[in-house]
Amino acid sequence: MYLISYKISEPQVSDSLLASLGNMGDSIALFPNTRILDASMSADDIFNELYKIIKPSDQIIIIPFEMKDIQGFINSNVIDWMRQREGVVKQEISK
């Protein structure tokens, strides 16, 4: 599972990036321009696929994501999505 955060300069590139993520696995928006991706690919493989889409002025980071010791406030639909995928997520992060 990966946390992917990006700053894309053109809306059509952003749409293509989201479509590409959808082809790689299941993802959900955590915040605007930040998604959690549930995929069996490596960060290198994900980056190489997205690199074909993004422009030189765009920014992206792909970070391995483990649902351990998480605290905060996020939408309950994100909590439900996370719970379906890995372990127990503390109820306190729901809002």
Side-chain angles (χ1 to χ4, degrees):
M1 200 165 301
Y2 295 93
L3 187 69
I4 300 174
S5 189
Y6 51 91
K7 182 178 178 187
I8 305 297
S9 56
E10 300 175 17
Q12 64 271 24
V13 173
S14 184
D15 293 344
S16 296
L17 183 138
L18 293 177
S20 184
L21 289 175
N23 291 333
M24 293 180 210
D26 195 15
S27 73
I28 191 165
L30 183 58
F31 303 113
N33 302 323
T34 302
R35 299 190 74 81
I36 302 171
L37 174 67
D38 186 8
S40 58
M41 303 169 70
S42 70
D44 284 340
D45 291 340
I46 294 167
F47 177 78
N48 289 333
E49 286 299 313
L50 297 179
Y51 186 74
K52 298 173 188 175
I53 299 167
I54 62 175
K55 306 292 182 198
S57 60
D58 296 335
Q59 300 174 33
I60 190 164
I61 189 164
I62 302 163
I63 303 168
F65 181 75
E66 293 184 22
M67 292 184 281
K68 296 180 182 178
D69 198 24
I70 297 172
Q71 292 293 328
F73 296 104
I74 57 177
N75 284 327
S76 60
N77 65 331
V78 175
I79 295 294
D80 294 341
W81 185 92
M82 292 166 69
R83 280 194 175 123
Q84 291 173 2
R85 279 150 187 83
E86 189 175 316
V88 175
V89 177
K90 292 182 180 180
Q91 184 62 37
E92 292 83 24
I93 64 174
S94 159
K95 184 173 182 179

Coordinates of all heavy atoms in Angstrom, one line a residue:
M1 N 0.9 -1.2 0.0 CA 0.0 0.0 0.0 C 0.9 1.2 0.0 O 1.9 1.2 0.7 CB -0.9 0.0 1.2 CG -2.1 0.8 1.1 SD -3.4 0.6 2.2 CE -3.8 -1.1 2.0
Y2 N 0.5 2.3 -0.7 CA 1.3 3.5 -0.9 C 0.5 4.7 -0.7 O -0.7 4.8 -1.0 CB 1.9 3.5 -2.3 CG 2.9 2.4 -2.5 CD1 2.4 1.2 -3.1 CD2 4.2 2.5 -2.1 CE1 3.3 0.2 -3.3 CE2 5.1 1.5 -2.3 CZ 4.6 0.3 -2.9 OH 5.5 -0.8 -3.1
L3 N 1.1 5.7 -0.1 CA 0.6 7.1 -0.1 C 1.2 7.8 -1.2 O 2.4 7.9 -1.4 CB 1.0 7.7 1.3 CG 0.3 9.1 1.5 CD1 -1.2 8.9 1.8 CD2 1.0 9.7 2.8
I4 N 0.4 8.4 -2.1 CA 0.9 9.1 -3.3 C 0.3 10.5 -3.2 O -0.9 10.8 -3.2 CB 0.4 8.4 -4.6 CG1 0.9 7.0 -4.6 CG2 0.8 9.2 -5.8 CD1 0.4 6.1 -5.7
S5 N 1.3 11.5 -3.2 CA 0.9 12.9 -3.2 C 1.5 13.5 -4.4 O 2.6 13.2 -4.8 CB 1.5 13.5 -1.9 OG 1.0 14.8 -1.8
Y6 N 0.7 14.4 -5.0 CA 1.2 15.0 -6.3 C 0.7 16.4 -6.4 O -0.3 16.9 -5.8 CB 0.6 14.1 -7.5 CG -0.8 13.9 -7.4 CD1 -1.8 14.7 -8.0 CD2 -1.3 12.8 -6.7 CE1 -3.1 14.5 -7.9 CE2 -2.7 12.5 -6.6 CZ -3.6 13.4 -7.2 OH -4.9 13.1 -7.2
K7 N 1.4 17.2 -7.3 CA 1.0 18.5 -7.7 C 1.2 18.5 -9.2 O 2.3 18.4 -9.7 CB 1.9 19.6 -7.1 CG 1.6 21.0 -7.4 CD 2.5 22.0 -6.8 CE 2.1 23.4 -7.2 NZ 3.1 24.3 -6.7
I8 N 0.0 18.5 -9.9 CA 0.0 18.4 -11.3 C -0.5 19.7 -11.9 O -1.4 20.4 -11.5 CB -1.0 17.3 -11.7 CG1 -0.7 16.0 -11.0 CG2 -1.1 17.1 -13.2 CD1 0.7 15.4 -11.4
S9 N 0.2 20.1 -13.0 CA 0.0 21.5 -13.5 C -1.2 21.5 -14.5 O -1.8 22.6 -14.6 CB 1.3 21.9 -14.3 OG 1.6 21.0 -15.3
E10 N -1.6 20.4 -15.1 CA -2.7 20.5 -16.0 C -3.8 19.5 -15.6 O -3.5 18.3 -15.3 CB -2.2 20.1 -17.4 CG -1.1 21.0 -18.0 CD -0.5 20.6 -19.3 OE1 -1.2 19.7 -20.0 OE2 0.5 21.1 -19.6
P11 N -5.1 19.9 -15.7 CA -6.2 19.0 -15.3 C -6.2 17.7 -16.0 O -6.5 16.7 -15.5 CB -7.4 19.9 -15.5 CG -7.0 21.3 -15.5 CD -5.5 21.3 -16.0
Q12 N -5.9 17.8 -17.3 CA -6.0 16.5 -18.1 C -4.9 15.5 -17.7 O -5.2 14.3 -17.7 CB -6.0 16.8 -19.6 CG -4.7 17.4 -20.1 CD -4.7 18.9 -20.1 OE1 -5.4 19.5 -19.4 NE2 -3.9 19.5 -21.0
V13 N -3.8 16.0 -17.2 CA -2.7 15.1 -16.7 C -3.2 14.5 -15.4 O -3.0 13.3 -15.1 CB -1.4 15.9 -16.5 CG1 -0.4 15.0 -15.9 CG2 -0.9 16.4 -17.9
S14 N -3.9 15.3 -14.6 CA -4.4 14.8 -13.3 C -5.4 13.7 -13.6 O -5.4 12.7 -12.9 CB -5.0 15.9 -12.5 OG -5.5 15.5 -11.2
D15 N -6.3 13.9 -14.5 CA -7.3 12.9 -14.9 C -6.6 11.6 -15.4 O -7.0 10.5 -15.0 CB -8.2 13.4 -16.0 CG -9.1 14.5 -15.5 OD1 -9.3 14.7 -14.3 OD2 -9.7 15.2 -16.4
S16 N -5.5 11.8 -16.2 CA -4.8 10.6 -16.7 C -4.1 9.9 -15.5 O -4.0 8.6 -15.5 CB -3.8 11.0 -17.7 OG -4.4 11.6 -18.9
L17 N -3.5 10.6 -14.6 CA -2.9 10.0 -13.4 C -3.9 9.2 -12.6 O -3.6 8.1 -12.3 CB -2.3 11.1 -12.6 CG -1.5 10.7 -11.4 CD1 -0.2 11.5 -11.2 CD2 -2.3 10.8 -10.1
L18 N -5.1 9.7 -12.4 CA -6.1 9.0 -11.6 C -6.5 7.8 -12.4 O -6.7 6.7 -11.7 CB -7.3 9.9 -11.3 CG -7.0 11.1 -10.4 CD1 -8.3 11.9 -10.2 CD2 -6.5 10.6 -9.0
A19 N -6.7 7.8 -13.7 CA -7.0 6.7 -14.4 C -5.9 5.6 -14.4 O -6.2 4.4 -14.2 CB -7.3 7.1 -15.9
S20 N -4.7 6.0 -14.4 CA -3.6 5.1 -14.4 C -3.5 4.4 -13.0 O -3.3 3.2 -12.9 CB -2.3 5.8 -14.7 OG -1.2 4.9 -14.7
L21 N -3.7 5.2 -11.9 CA -3.8 4.6 -10.6 C -4.9 3.6 -10.5 O -4.7 2.5 -9.9 CB -4.0 5.7 -9.5 CG -2.8 6.6 -9.3 CD1 -3.2 7.7 -8.3 CD2 -1.6 5.9 -8.8
G22 N -6.0 3.9 -11.1 CA -7.1 2.9 -11.1 C -6.8 1.6 -11.8 O -7.3 0.5 -11.4
N23 N -5.9 1.7 -12.8 CA -5.5 0.5 -13.5 C -4.4 -0.3 -12.7 O -4.3 -1.5 -12.9 CB -4.8 0.8 -14.8 CG -5.9 1.3 -15.8 OD1 -7.0 1.0 -15.7 ND2 -5.4 2.2 -16.8
M24 N -3.8 0.3 -11.7 CA -2.8 -0.3 -10.9 C -3.3 -1.0 -9.7 O -2.8 -2.0 -9.2 CB -1.8 0.7 -10.4 CG -0.9 1.3 -11.5 SD 0.2 2.5 -10.8 CE 0.4 3.6 -12.1
G25 N -4.5 -0.6 -9.2 CA -5.1 -1.1 -8.0 C -6.2 -0.3 -7.5 O -6.7 0.6 -8.3
D26 N -6.6 -0.5 -6.3 CA -7.7 0.3 -5.7 C -7.1 1.5 -5.0 O -6.2 1.3 -4.3 CB -8.5 -0.6 -4.8 CG -9.9 -0.1 -4.4 OD1 -10.3 0.9 -5.1 OD2 -10.5 -0.6 -3.4
S27 N -7.7 2.6 -5.2 CA -7.2 3.8 -4.5 C -8.4 4.7 -3.9 O -9.5 4.5 -4.4 CB -6.3 4.7 -5.4 OG -7.1 5.4 -6.3
I28 N -8.1 5.5 -3.0 CA -9.0 6.4 -2.4 C -8.3 7.8 -2.1 O -7.2 7.8 -1.8 CB -9.7 5.8 -1.1 CG1 -10.9 6.7 -0.7 CG2 -8.7 5.7 0.0 CD1 -11.8 6.0 0.3
A29 N -9.1 8.8 -2.3 CA -8.6 10.2 -2.0 C -8.5 10.3 -0.4 O -9.5 10.2 0.3 CB -9.4 11.3 -2.6
L30 N -7.3 10.6 0.1 CA -7.1 11.0 1.5 C -7.4 12.5 1.7 O -8.1 12.9 2.6 CB -5.7 10.6 1.9 CG -5.4 10.8 3.4 CD1 -6.4 10.0 4.3 CD2 -4.0 10.3 3.7
F31 N -6.7 13.3 0.8 CA -6.9 14.7 0.8 C -6.8 15.1 -0.7 O -6.4 14.3 -1.5 CB -5.8 15.4 1.5 CG -5.7 15.0 3.0 CD1 -4.6 14.3 3.4 CD2 -6.7 15.3 3.9 CE1 -4.5 13.9 4.7 CE2 -6.6 15.0 5.2 CZ -5.5 14.3 5.6
P32 N -7.1 16.3 -1.0 CA -6.9 16.7 -2.4 C -5.5 16.5 -2.8 O -4.6 16.9 -2.1 CB -7.3 18.2 -2.4 CG -8.2 18.4 -1.3 CD -7.7 17.4 -0.2
N33 N -5.2 15.9 -3.9 CA -3.9 15.6 -4.5 C -3.1 14.6 -3.7 O -1.9 14.5 -3.8 CB -3.1 16.9 -4.6 CG -3.8 17.9 -5.5 OD1 -4.4 17.5 -6.5 ND2 -3.7 19.1 -5.2
T34 N -3.8 13.8 -2.8 CA -3.2 12.7 -2.0 C -4.1 11.5 -2.0 O -5.3 11.7 -1.7 CB -2.8 13.2 -0.6 OG1 -2.0 14.3 -0.6 CG2 -2.1 12.1 0.2
R35 N -3.5 10.4 -2.4 CA -4.3 9.2 -2.5 C -3.6 8.1 -1.8 O -2.4 8.1 -1.7 CB -4.6 8.8 -3.9 CG -5.4 9.8 -4.7 CD -5.9 9.3 -6.1 NE -7.0 8.4 -6.0 CZ -8.2 8.7 -5.8 NH1 -8.6 10.0 -5.7 NH2 -9.2 7.8 -5.8
I36 N -4.4 7.1 -1.3 CA -3.8 5.8 -0.8 C -4.1 4.8 -1.9 O -5.2 4.7 -2.4 CB -4.5 5.4 0.5 CG1 -4.3 6.4 1.6 CG2 -3.9 4.1 0.9 CD1 -5.1 6.2 2.8
L37 N -3.0 4.1 -2.3 CA -3.2 3.1 -3.4 C -2.9 1.7 -2.8 O -1.8 1.5 -2.2 CB -2.2 3.4 -4.5 CG -2.1 2.4 -5.6 CD1 -3.4 2.3 -6.4 CD2 -0.9 2.7 -6.5
D38 N -3.8 0.8 -3.0 CA -3.6 -0.6 -2.6 C -3.2 -1.3 -3.9 O -4.1 -1.6 -4.7 CB -4.9 -1.1 -2.0 CG -4.8 -2.5 -1.5 OD1 -3.6 -3.0 -1.4 OD2 -5.8 -3.1 -1.1
A39 N -2.0 -1.6 -4.0 CA -1.5 -2.3 -5.2 C -0.3 -3.2 -4.8 O 0.4 -2.9 -3.9 CB -1.0 -1.3 -6.2
S40 N -0.1 -4.2 -5.6 CA 1.0 -5.1 -5.3 C 2.3 -4.7 -6.0 O 3.3 -5.4 -5.9 CB 0.6 -6.6 -5.7 OG 0.3 -6.6 -7.1
M41 N 2.3 -3.6 -6.7 CA 3.5 -3.2 -7.4 C 4.4 -2.5 -6.5 O 4.1 -2.1 -5.4 CB 3.0 -2.1 -8.5 CG 2.0 -2.6 -9.5 SD 1.3 -1.3 -10.5 CE 2.7 -0.8 -11.5
S42 N 5.7 -2.4 -6.9 CA 6.7 -1.6 -6.1 C 6.5 -0.1 -6.4 O 5.9 0.3 -7.3 CB 8.1 -2.1 -6.5 OG 8.4 -1.6 -7.8
A43 N 7.1 0.7 -5.5 CA 7.1 2.1 -5.7 C 7.8 2.5 -7.0 O 7.3 3.4 -7.7 CB 7.8 2.8 -4.5
D44 N 8.9 1.8 -7.3 CA 9.5 2.0 -8.6 C 8.6 1.7 -9.8 O 8.6 2.5 -10.8 CB 10.8 1.1 -8.8 CG 12.0 1.6 -7.9 OD1 12.0 2.8 -7.5 OD2 12.9 0.8 -7.7
D45 N 7.9 0.6 -9.8 CA 7.0 0.3 -10.8 C 5.9 1.3 -11.0 O 5.5 1.7 -12.1 CB 6.4 -1.1 -10.7 CG 7.4 -2.2 -10.8 OD1 8.5 -2.0 -11.5 OD2 7.2 -3.3 -10.3
I46 N 5.3 1.8 -9.8 CA 4.3 2.8 -9.9 C 4.8 4.1 -10.5 O 4.2 4.7 -11.3 CB 3.7 3.0 -8.4 CG1 3.0 1.8 -7.9 CG2 2.8 4.2 -8.4 CD1 2.7 1.8 -6.5
F47 N 6.0 4.5 -10.0 CA 6.6 5.7 -10.5 C 6.8 5.6 -12.0 O 6.6 6.6 -12.7 CB 7.9 6.0 -9.8 CG 8.6 7.3 -10.3 CD1 8.1 8.5 -10.0 CD2 9.6 7.1 -11.2 CE1 8.7 9.7 -10.5 CE2 10.2 8.3 -11.7 CZ 9.8 9.5 -11.4
N48 N 7.4 4.5 -12.4 CA 7.7 4.4 -13.9 C 6.4 4.5 -14.7 O 6.5 5.0 -15.8 CB 8.4 3.1 -14.1 CG 9.8 3.1 -13.6 OD1 10.5 4.1 -13.5 ND2 10.4 1.9 -13.2
E49 N 5.3 4.0 -14.2 CA 4.1 4.1 -15.0 C 3.6 5.6 -15.0 O 3.1 6.1 -16.0 CB 3.0 3.2 -14.4 CG 3.2 1.7 -14.7 CD 3.2 1.4 -16.2 OE1 2.3 1.9 -16.9 OE2 4.1 0.7 -16.7
L50 N 3.6 6.2 -13.8 CA 3.2 7.6 -13.7 C 4.1 8.5 -14.4 O 3.6 9.6 -14.9 CB 3.0 8.0 -12.3 CG 1.9 7.1 -11.5 CD1 1.9 7.6 -10.0 CD2 0.6 7.2 -12.2
Y51 N 5.4 8.2 -14.5 CA 6.3 9.1 -15.2 C 6.0 9.3 -16.6 O 6.3 10.3 -17.2 CB 7.7 8.5 -15.0 CG 8.8 9.4 -15.5 CD1 9.2 10.5 -14.8 CD2 9.5 9.1 -16.7 CE1 10.2 11.3 -15.3 CE2 10.5 9.9 -17.2 CZ 10.9 11.0 -16.5 OH 11.8 11.9 -17.0
K52 N 5.3 8.3 -17.2 CA 4.9 8.4 -18.6 C 3.8 9.4 -18.8 O 3.6 9.9 -19.9 CB 4.3 7.0 -19.1 CG 5.3 5.9 -19.1 CD 4.6 4.6 -19.4 CE 5.6 3.4 -19.1 NZ 4.8 2.1 -19.3
I53 N 3.2 9.8 -17.8 CA 2.0 10.7 -17.8 C 2.4 12.2 -17.4 O 1.9 13.1 -18.0 CB 0.9 10.2 -16.9 CG1 0.4 8.8 -17.4 CG2 -0.3 11.2 -16.8 CD1 -0.5 8.1 -16.4
I54 N 3.2 12.3 -16.3 CA 3.4 13.6 -15.7 C 4.3 14.4 -16.6 O 5.1 13.9 -17.4 CB 3.9 13.5 -14.3 CG1 5.3 12.7 -14.2 CG2 2.9 12.8 -13.4 CD1 5.9 12.7 -12.9
K55 N 4.3 15.7 -16.4 CA 5.1 16.7 -17.1 C 6.3 17.0 -16.2 O 6.3 16.8 -15.0 CB 4.3 18.0 -17.4 CG 3.0 17.8 -18.1 CD 3.2 17.3 -19.5 CE 1.9 17.2 -20.2 NZ 1.9 16.4 -21.4
P56 N 7.4 17.6 -16.9 CA 8.6 17.9 -16.1 C 8.3 18.9 -14.9 O 9.0 18.8 -13.9 CB 9.5 18.5 -17.1 CG 9.1 17.9 -18.4 CD 7.6 17.8 -18.3
S57 N 7.3 19.7 -15.1 CA 7.0 20.7 -14.0 C 6.2 20.1 -12.9 O 6.0 20.8 -11.9 CB 6.3 21.9 -14.6 OG 5.1 21.5 -15.2
D58 N 5.6 18.9 -13.1 CA 4.8 18.3 -12.1 C 5.6 17.7 -10.9 O 6.8 17.5 -11.1 CB 4.0 17.1 -12.7 CG 3.0 17.7 -13.7 OD1 2.6 18.8 -13.6 OD2 2.6 16.9 -14.6
Q59 N 5.0 17.4 -9.8 CA 5.7 16.9 -8.6 C 4.9 15.7 -8.2 O 3.6 15.7 -8.2 CB 5.8 17.9 -7.5 CG 6.5 19.1 -7.9 CD 6.5 20.2 -6.8 OE1 6.5 19.9 -5.6 NE2 6.5 21.4 -7.2
I60 N 5.6 14.6 -7.7 CA 4.9 13.4 -7.2 C 5.9 12.7 -6.2 O 7.1 12.8 -6.4 CB 4.5 12.5 -8.3 CG1 3.6 11.4 -7.8 CG2 5.7 11.9 -9.1 CD1 2.9 10.6 -8.9
I61 N 5.3 12.2 -5.2 CA 6.1 11.3 -4.2 C 5.2 10.1 -3.9 O 4.0 10.2 -3.8 CB 6.5 12.1 -3.0 CG1 7.4 11.3 -2.2 CG2 5.3 12.5 -2.2 CD1 8.2 12.1 -1.1
I62 N 5.9 9.0 -3.8 CA 5.2 7.7 -3.6 C 5.9 7.1 -2.3 O 7.1 6.9 -2.3 CB 5.4 6.7 -4.8 CG1 4.8 7.4 -6.0 CG2 4.8 5.4 -4.5 CD1 5.2 6.8 -7.3
I63 N 5.1 6.9 -1.3 CA 5.7 6.5 0.0 C 5.0 5.2 0.5 O 3.7 5.2 0.5 CB 5.4 7.6 1.1 CG1 6.1 8.9 0.6 CG2 6.0 7.2 2.4 CD1 5.6 10.1 1.5
P64 N 5.7 4.2 0.9 CA 5.0 3.0 1.4 C 4.2 3.4 2.6 O 4.6 4.3 3.4 CB 6.2 2.1 1.9 CG 7.4 2.5 1.0 CD 7.2 4.0 0.8
F65 N 3.0 2.8 2.7 CA 2.0 3.2 3.7 C 1.6 2.0 4.5 O 1.1 1.0 3.9 CB 0.8 3.8 3.0 CG -0.3 4.3 3.9 CD1 -0.1 5.5 4.7 CD2 -1.4 3.6 4.1 CE1 -1.1 5.9 5.5 CE2 -2.5 4.1 4.9 CZ -2.3 5.2 5.7
E66 N 1.8 2.1 5.8 CA 1.3 1.0 6.7 C 0.4 1.6 7.7 O 0.6 2.7 8.2 CB 2.5 0.4 7.5 CG 3.4 -0.4 6.6 CD 4.5 -1.1 7.4 OE1 4.3 -1.3 8.6 OE2 5.6 -1.4 6.8
M67 N -0.7 0.9 8.0 CA -1.7 1.5 8.9 C -1.4 1.0 10.3 O -2.1 0.2 10.9 CB -3.1 1.0 8.4 CG -3.5 1.7 7.1 SD -5.1 1.3 6.5 CE -4.8 -0.3 5.8
K68 N -0.3 1.6 10.8 CA 0.1 1.3 12.2 C 0.2 2.7 12.9 O 0.8 3.6 12.4 CB 1.4 0.6 12.2 CG 1.4 -0.8 11.6 CD 2.7 -1.4 11.6 CE 2.7 -2.8 11.0 NZ 4.0 -3.4 10.9
D69 N -0.3 2.7 14.1 CA -0.2 3.9 15.0 C -0.6 5.2 14.3 O 0.1 6.1 14.2 CB 1.3 4.0 15.5 CG 1.4 4.9 16.7 OD1 0.4 5.0 17.4 OD2 2.5 5.4 17.0
I70 N -1.8 5.1 13.7 CA -2.3 6.3 13.0 C -3.2 7.1 13.9 O -4.1 6.5 14.7 CB -3.1 5.8 11.8 CG1 -2.2 5.1 10.8 CG2 -3.8 7.0 11.1 CD1 -3.0 4.5 9.7
Q71 N -3.1 8.4 13.9 CA -4.0 9.3 14.7 C -4.4 10.4 13.8 O -3.6 10.8 12.9 CB -3.3 9.8 15.9 CG -3.0 8.8 17.0 CD -4.3 8.2 17.6 OE1 -5.3 8.9 17.7 NE2 -4.3 7.0 18.0
G72 N -5.6 11.0 13.9 CA -6.0 12.1 13.2 C -7.5 12.1 12.9 O -8.2 11.3 13.5
F73 N -8.0 13.0 12.1 CA -9.4 13.1 11.7 C -9.5 13.0 10.2 O -8.9 13.8 9.5 CB -10.0 14.4 12.2 CG -10.0 14.5 13.7 CD1 -9.1 15.4 14.3 CD2 -10.9 13.8 14.5 CE1 -9.1 15.5 15.7 CE2 -10.9 13.9 15.8 CZ -10.0 14.8 16.5
I74 N -10.2 12.0 9.7 CA -10.5 11.9 8.3 C -11.9 11.4 8.1 O -12.6 10.9 9.0 CB -9.5 11.0 7.6 CG1 -9.5 9.6 8.2 CG2 -8.1 11.6 7.6 CD1 -8.5 8.6 7.5
N75 N -12.4 11.4 6.9 CA -13.8 11.0 6.5 C -13.9 9.5 6.9 O -13.0 8.7 6.7 CB -14.1 11.2 5.1 CG -14.3 12.6 4.7 OD1 -14.9 13.4 5.5 ND2 -14.0 13.1 3.5
S76 N -15.1 9.2 7.3 CA -15.4 7.8 7.7 C -15.3 6.8 6.5 O -15.0 5.7 6.7 CB -16.8 7.7 8.4 OG -17.8 8.1 7.5
N77 N -15.6 7.3 5.3 CA -15.5 6.4 4.1 C -14.0 6.0 3.9 O -13.7 4.9 3.4 CB -16.1 7.1 2.8 CG -15.3 8.3 2.4 OD1 -14.8 9.0 3.2 ND2 -15.4 8.5 1.1
V78 N -13.1 6.9 4.2 CA -11.6 6.5 4.1 C -11.3 5.5 5.2 O -10.6 4.5 4.9 CB -10.7 7.7 4.3 CG1 -9.3 7.3 4.3 CG2 -11.0 8.7 3.1
I79 N -11.8 5.6 6.4 CA -11.6 4.7 7.5 C -12.2 3.3 7.0 O -11.5 2.3 7.2 CB -12.3 5.1 8.8 CG1 -11.7 6.4 9.3 CG2 -12.3 4.0 9.8 CD1 -10.3 6.3 9.8
D80 N -13.4 3.3 6.5 CA -14.0 2.0 6.1 C -13.1 1.4 5.0 O -12.9 0.2 5.0 CB -15.4 2.3 5.5 CG -16.4 2.7 6.6 OD1 -16.1 2.5 7.8 OD2 -17.4 3.3 6.3
W81 N -12.7 2.2 4.0 CA -11.8 1.6 2.9 C -10.5 1.0 3.5 O -10.1 -0.1 3.2 CB -11.5 2.8 2.0 CG -10.7 2.4 0.8 CD1 -11.2 2.0 -0.4 CD2 -9.3 2.3 0.6 NE1 -10.2 1.7 -1.3 CE2 -9.0 1.9 -0.7 CE3 -8.2 2.6 1.5 CZ2 -7.7 1.8 -1.2 CZ3 -6.9 2.4 1.0 CH2 -6.7 2.0 -0.3
M82 N -9.9 1.7 4.5 CA -8.7 1.3 5.1 C -8.9 0.0 5.9 O -8.2 -1.0 5.8 CB -8.1 2.3 6.0 CG -7.6 3.6 5.3 SD -7.3 5.0 6.3 CE -5.9 4.4 7.3
R83 N -10.0 -0.1 6.6 CA -10.4 -1.3 7.4 C -10.6 -2.5 6.6 O -10.2 -3.6 7.0 CB -11.6 -1.0 8.2 CG -11.4 -0.2 9.5 CD -12.6 -0.3 10.4 NE -12.3 0.4 11.6 CZ -13.0 1.4 12.1 NH1 -14.1 1.9 11.5 NH2 -12.6 2.0 13.2
Q84 N -11.1 -2.3 5.4 CA -11.3 -3.4 4.5 C -10.0 -4.0 4.0 O -10.0 -5.1 3.5 CB -12.2 -3.0 3.3 CG -13.6 -2.7 3.6 CD -14.3 -2.1 2.4 OE1 -13.8 -1.9 1.4 NE2 -15.6 -1.7 2.7
R85 N -8.9 -3.3 4.1 CA -7.7 -3.7 3.4 C -6.6 -4.2 4.4 O -5.8 -5.0 4.0 CB -7.1 -2.5 2.6 CG -7.8 -2.5 1.3 CD -7.9 -1.2 0.7 NE -8.8 -1.2 -0.5 CZ -10.1 -1.2 -0.5 NH1 -10.7 -1.1 0.6 NH2 -10.8 -1.3 -1.6
E86 N -6.6 -3.7 5.6 CA -5.5 -4.1 6.5 C -5.8 -3.8 7.9 O -5.9 -2.7 8.3 CB -4.2 -3.3 6.0 CG -3.0 -3.8 6.7 CD -1.7 -3.1 6.2 OE1 -1.6 -3.0 5.0 OE2 -0.9 -2.7 7.0
G87 N -5.8 -4.9 8.7 CA -5.9 -4.7 10.2 C -7.0 -3.9 10.7 O -7.9 -3.5 10.0
V88 N -6.8 -3.5 11.9 CA -7.8 -2.7 12.6 C -7.2 -1.3 12.7 O -6.1 -1.0 13.1 CB -8.0 -3.2 14.1 CG1 -8.9 -2.3 14.8 CG2 -8.6 -4.6 14.0
V89 N -8.0 -0.3 12.3 CA -7.6 1.1 12.4 C -8.3 1.7 13.6 O -9.5 1.5 13.7 CB -8.0 1.8 11.1 CG1 -7.7 3.3 11.2 CG2 -7.3 1.2 9.9
K90 N -7.6 2.4 14.4 CA -8.3 3.0 15.6 C -9.4 3.9 15.2 O -9.4 4.7 14.3 CB -7.2 3.8 16.3 CG -6.1 3.0 17.0 CD -5.2 3.9 17.8 CE -4.1 3.1 18.4 NZ -3.2 3.9 19.2
Q91 N -10.5 3.7 15.9 CA -11.7 4.5 15.7 C -11.5 6.0 15.9 O -12.2 6.8 15.2 CB -12.8 4.0 16.6 CG -14.2 4.7 16.4 CD -14.8 4.5 15.0 OE1 -14.6 3.4 14.5 NE2 -15.4 5.4 14.4
E92 N -10.5 6.4 16.7 CA -10.3 7.8 17.0 C -10.0 8.6 15.7 O -10.1 9.8 15.7 CB -9.1 8.0 18.0 CG -9.4 7.5 19.4 CD -9.2 6.0 19.5 OE1 -8.4 5.4 18.7 OE2 -9.9 5.3 20.3
I93 N -9.5 8.0 14.6 CA -9.2 8.8 13.5 C -10.4 9.1 12.6 O -10.3 9.8 11.7 CB -8.1 8.1 12.6 CG1 -8.5 6.8 12.0 CG2 -6.8 8.0 13.4 CD1 -7.5 6.2 11.1
S94 N -11.5 8.5 13.0 CA -12.7 8.8 12.2 C -13.4 10.1 12.6 O -13.3 10.5 13.8 CB -13.7 7.6 12.5 OG -15.0 8.0 12.2
K95 N -14.0 10.8 11.7 CA -14.7 12.0 12.0 C -15.9 12.2 11.1 O -15.9 11.9 10.0 CB -13.8 13.3 11.8 CG -14.5 14.5 12.3 CD -13.6 15.7 12.2 CE -14.2 16.9 12.7 NZ -13.4 18.1 12.7

